[in-house]
Amino acid sequence: MAKDFDLFEWELWAGRASAYERGFAQVTRYLVGPLLDAAGVADGTRLLDVGTGPGLVSAAALARGAKVSAIDADPDMISTAQGNVPGLDARLAVLPDLPFEDGTFDAVAGNFVINNVGRPGAVLAALRAALRPAGRIALSCWMMPVSGGLAVVAEATEAAGVPWPDDVPRSPFLDHGEPVAFRRLMVEAGFADVAVEEVTWEHVTDPEEWWESGALARVGTTGFIVGRQDAATVRRIKAEYDRIIAGYATPDGKVALPAHALLASAAR
């Protein structure tokens, strides 16, 4: 029987801040600027950075002159963000619970966090309540089902004959990770002037580093699944990984991994 999704996510990311910062955070940072633009973050904006991770969004917002508060569900992520952004007001919080009064913020930004919560509708309602009447929100998420660079390890695991474990829950956002469904979810939460755009880019990296910082570091659900396998199975997955990722090779020995995401923005 699958675990509660929020509990699984909490356990999944505990202690993974360093590996996440080294790997997947380097992919997600592409959307930091567009996310802040969509949320209208400028000098003096009071911003809530939701799921701050290593603090990339907070750092960029502070550079714009914003007044930033950040939250994350993992203490290790909070410590990492505060190390990267000295003086950052970063607090431990598990969505949809927020340690702030309603109507506190001019803007809310969440970079790839809405797809990691068990009750996205409840989370959106809480984030809307945190905004002032003229406030704006911007949220990014992966296009579902994941594809391109994000799916390489998953494809390798499947090709190696490893089934999805019965006790590992699937993301509720599988039902919302496309433009029409994401927009509908935002509208149902009460947001106005909702826009959802598709964004595609390439992440250039070393294929061995991508394997190490994702699959072997147990980052994300697929990394967690790989981490549960015996050595022989991991070698079989790695052989499939090498075969699949070779299709993204660049002349200099690196790989250019396509990333496909959605960027949603709205007014309170």
Side-chain angles (χ1 to χ4, degrees):
M1 180 178 177
K3 287 184 178 181
D4 172 79
F5 185 78
D6 284 324
L7 175 60
F8 174 76
E9 283 286 313
W10 182 79
E11 294 175 345
L12 177 67
W13 292 107
R16 300 285 181 268
S18 178
Y20 177 77
E21 182 178 21
R22 197 170 67 249
F24 278 101
Q26 302 309 311
V27 186
T28 63
R29 72 185 309 147
Y30 179 90
L31 274 185
V32 170
L35 187 82
L36 293 176
D37 290 343
V41 176
D43 188 23
T45 301
R46 184 81 173 88
L47 171 71
L48 175 60
D49 174 15
V50 183
T52 188
L56 298 177
V57 171
S58 289
L62 286 167
R64 295 185 179 206
K67 301 172 184 178
V68 182
S69 292
I71 62 168
D72 203 283
D74 178 53
D76 197 21
M77 293 288 190
I78 293 291
S79 297
T80 300
Q82 290 175 325
N84 290 333
V85 190
L88 176 64
D89 173 25
R91 309 185 194 187
L92 195 65
V94 179
L95 295 169
D97 297 325
L98 297 174
F100 305 101
E101 294 184 2
D102 289 354
T104 297
F105 297 98
D106 303 309
V108 169
N111 203 24
F112 298 96
V113 65
I114 192 66
N115 46 287
N116 290 315
V117 300
R119 296 182 292 150
V123 169
L124 288 174
L127 297 180
R128 182 173 181 270
L131 284 168
R132 293 170 180 162
R136 289 193 58 79
I137 188 171
L139 300 169
S140 60
C141 76
W142 297 116
M143 186 90 77
M144 297 290 179
V146 294
S147 59
L150 233 65
V152 170
V153 177
E155 290 171 3
T157 303
E158 183 178 354
V162 178
W164 187 278
D166 291 338
D167 62 332
V168 174
R170 295 184 184 271
S171 169
F173 221 78
L174 284 171
D175 295 329
H176 308 295
E178 59 90 19
V180 173
F182 197 2
R183 184 182 185 282
R184 182 185 306 116
L185 185 68
M186 299 281 288
V187 170
E188 289 174 350
F191 288 103
D193 301 325
V194 180
V196 179
E197 62 176 302
E198 299 182 28
V199 187
T200 300
W201 68 100
E202 284 189 340
H203 175 60
V204 178
T205 186
D206 178 84
E208 291 303 314
E209 173 62 22
W210 191 246
W211 171 258
E212 292 283 342
S213 64
L216 294 191
R218 295 170 64 111
V219 171
T221 303
T222 305
F224 172 80
I225 294 171
V226 173
R228 295 173 67 173
Q229 309 306 312
D230 59 34
T233 304
V234 172
R235 286 194 296 270
R236 199 165 70 247
I237 296 170
K238 178 58 161 58
E240 295 292 349
Y241 169 87
D242 290 340
R243 176 183 61 81
I244 294 168
I245 207 163
Y248 301 103
T250 62
D252 60 357
K254 295 185 180 297
V255 288
L257 302 176
H260 309 288
L262 299 175
L263 177 58
S265 59
R268 186 186 186 282

